[in-house]
Amino acid sequence: MAMAAGRKTLELLQRPGVYEGLESTGRQLALGLQEAFDRSETPSTINRVGSAMTLFFNRGEVTGWASVSASDKDGFARFFHRMLEEGVYLPPSPFEAFFVSTAHSEVDIQATIAAAERALEHKTGARCLRYVIEDTLLDVMYDLPSLDEVVRCVVDRDAIEGNTDPSM
């Protein structure tokens, strides 16, 4: 079965215009995402080759480990989870690439860009509160149920700003 699928894929990739279509679709998605990030004033860089791209939460070129490691990994994680809520499955690590395929239509690309715009809107407003609380309590919520001695969990400003953990 795997061999038959592989052979069929290679056959389909030999059709005229396939790679040009992948290039066009990849470019359209990358440009749309970059415009969404720019409108939301969220620092970002998208490195793309053909239909493969990686999204970094920083400004400027990303060309090696120093620039990759300086990117906002927590910002990527929040965006990743917001996109999941929108029904878009990105790679969970800010160090992984994602791809478009010949199966992705113009509608898929536009829907993905719209989902990114909605995900980036969560900087303010009532929905932002939910994300702030989830982000602050993400690690604690897994440990808390097994800690019998904990009576109370206190989330103060320092915990919300990421300077300290919630106190228990």
Side-chain angles (χ1 to χ4, degrees):
M1 180 79 77
M3 290 297 287
R7 287 182 62 178
K8 186 62 175 180
T9 298
L10 291 173
E11 179 185 312
L12 293 172
L13 290 173
Q14 291 177 7
R15 291 183 176 172
V18 169
Y19 288 100
E20 293 82 0
L22 287 170
E23 167 64 27
S24 176
T25 303
R27 181 177 52 251
Q28 183 183 5
L29 178 59
L31 289 173
L33 289 174
Q34 191 62 64
E35 289 171 1
F37 276 87
D38 291 348
R39 279 192 300 278
S40 73
E41 299 180 354
T42 303
S44 65
T45 299
I46 299 174
N47 285 358
R48 181 185 71 84
V49 176
S51 64
M53 62 195 83
T54 303
L55 170 64
F56 300 98
F57 274 64
N58 66 353
R59 291 216 191 277
E61 271 189 349
V62 177
T63 58
W65 178 246
S67 50
V68 166
S69 61
S71 64
D72 180 3
K73 292 168 272 314
D74 291 335
F76 179 90
R78 286 188 298 275
F79 181 72
F80 165 78
H81 287 287
R82 291 173 189 151
M83 289 296 279
L84 274 180
E85 290 178 4
E86 294 289 338
V88 178
Y89 299 93
L90 298 175
S93 168
F95 307 116
E96 294 180 70
F98 56 99
F99 307 84
V100 295
S101 74
T102 58
H104 291 104
S105 69
E106 170 81 19
V107 172
D108 295 321
I109 300 305
Q110 293 306 316
T112 301
I113 294 166
E117 290 169 346
R118 288 189 301 273
L120 291 166
E121 287 174 359
H122 295 301
K123 291 181 177 180
T124 60
R127 293 190 78 178
C128 178
L129 177 61
R130 175 180 163 209
Y131 289 109
V132 168
I133 292 170
E134 286 176 355
D135 289 344
T136 303
L137 295 174
L138 185 61
D139 294 327
V140 173
M141 70 180 176
Y142 293 108
D143 296 331
L144 199 55
S146 63
L147 301 173
D148 295 331
E149 68 279 2
V150 175
V151 177
R152 184 173 166 202
C153 177
V154 178
V155 178
D156 60 12
R157 184 181 187 98
D158 283 335
I160 290 170
E161 292 176 352
N163 300 323
T164 63
D165 291 330
S167 58
M168 295 183 272

